[in-house]
Amino acid sequence: MLAVGPKDLLFLFSEPMDMRKSFDGLCGLIRNCTDKNPMDRNIYIFVNKSRNMIKLLRFEGDGFAIYFKRLEKGRIELPKKQDDGTVSLKISHATVMMMLEGIGLEKRKNRKRHQSKNSL
């Protein structure tokens, strides 16, 4: 089972993805487009062009797990894209949960919280 916790590192791919890709194709994208290893237990997030499908990929120690969601109505709202040329964007647990639940990202207001050096 793919579980997403608040301490997990999550990386959203900024370009739309072909949702026909499975484990090997997604791992290849991670290796070829980033400096990351897909077996590092981080969670990698992919969204298709029409933004009605999302995949989360994670290595769980003995194999890969994919969470795949297809919306019957609506679209997945994505965080603003960075113009620095990066392929993947580090995002927070809260952002992923809001994306999966259909909560708008633009109008949210983050309240001040203490953050340690290791947090997002």
Side-chain angles (χ1 to χ4, degrees):
M1 179 177 170
L2 184 65
V4 180
K7 294 189 178 192
D8 290 321
L9 294 178
L10 301 117
F11 296 94
L12 173 67
F13 271 67
S14 57
E15 295 299 318
M17 204 54 53
D18 180 355
M19 287 295 135
R20 293 175 292 181
K21 291 189 185 300
S22 190
F23 300 97
D24 295 331
L26 296 174
C27 287
L29 286 169
I30 294 165
R31 281 190 191 101
N32 295 331
C33 298
T34 69
D35 60 348
K36 304 197 180 341
N37 178 355
M39 298 175 89
D40 60 9
R41 296 187 185 233
N42 294 330
I43 298 173
Y44 297 94
I45 304 161
F46 307 90
V47 178
N48 67 337
K49 187 175 183 177
S50 61
R51 295 191 344 243
N52 68 337
M53 295 184 214
I54 186 168
K55 282 187 179 181
L56 285 74
L57 175 73
R58 175 186 219 167
F59 185 73
E60 295 189 331
D62 60 350
F64 286 95
I66 289 180
Y67 172 83
F68 183 25
K69 183 173 186 173
R70 183 188 75 192
L71 299 178
E72 295 301 318
K73 267 184 154 178
R75 292 177 179 245
I76 296 164
E77 187 174 337
L78 300 175
K80 285 188 178 181
K81 194 174 180 180
Q82 295 179 341
D83 293 330
D84 60 2
T86 57
V87 175
S88 65
L89 170 68
K90 187 175 177 182
I91 61 175
S92 69
H93 174 264
T95 300
V96 172
M97 292 299 113
M98 290 182 354
M99 288 168 57
L100 292 172
E101 293 296 323
I103 300 170
L105 302 175
E106 283 297 314
K107 304 247 182 206
R108 78 175 186 184
K109 184 172 182 177
N110 293 333
R111 305 286 181 204
K112 287 186 178 181
R113 297 287 187 261
H114 172 77
Q115 290 187 336
S116 65
K117 292 179 185 178
N118 294 335
S119 63
L120 294 173

